[in-house]
């Protein structure tokens, strides 16, 4: 059902079955798992999307948009645990509609 709306990215609060993950991958849809509800709400507000509680409620959902989405990994230069440098992975949603824009930092 989700593929019918041709999304590029799907963010979910918990998890998705392995079969669904494989189908999304086959359709070149990026999947982000375990996103906390308050963060989903912020991203939805910024991108203009509507949060859908379950895939059973996919009756013409309002998809959000941004011009550019990317993921970057950063190495903490000044912080290490037992000699190993920490890394942070951040997601960027750039080019969101101007009146709805904000900055969200994901840990």
């Amino acid at each position: 059902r989700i593929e019918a709306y041709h999304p590029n990215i799907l963010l979910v609060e918990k998890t998705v079955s392995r079969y669904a993950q494989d189908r999304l991958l086959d359709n070149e849809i990026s999947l982000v798992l375990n996103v906390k509800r308050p963060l989903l709400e912020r991203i939805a507000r910024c991108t203009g999307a509507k949060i859908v509680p379950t895939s059973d409620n996919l009756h013409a959902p309002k998809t959000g948009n941004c011009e550019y989405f990317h993921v970057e990994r950063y190495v903490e230069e000044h912080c290490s645990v037992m000699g190993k440098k920490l890394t942070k992975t951040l997601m960027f949603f750039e080019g969101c509609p101007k009146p709805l824009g904000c900055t969200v930092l994901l840990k």
Side-chain angles (χ1 to χ4, degrees), residues 44-64:
R45 184 179 64 240
C46 292
T47 60
K50 180 180 180 234
I51 296 175
V52 179
T54 68
S55 60
D56 297 331
N57 295 347
L58 285 177
H59 309 317
K62 184 174 187 303
T63 58

Side-chain angles (χ1 to χ4, degrees), residues 9 15 17 23 34 44 46 48 50 54 56 59 61 64 70 74 78 81 83 89 105-106:
I9 307 160
T15 189
S17 72
R23 287 214 37 190
N34 300 315
C46 292
K50 180 180 180 234
T54 68
D56 297 331
H59 309 317
H70 60 104
Y74 293 94
H78 305 290
V81 175
T89 303
L105 176 64
L106 307 175

Side-chain angles (χ1 to χ4, degrees), residues 17 19 26 74 79 85:
S17 72
Y19 173 74
D26 290 343
Y74 293 94
C79 187
K85 290 188 178 182

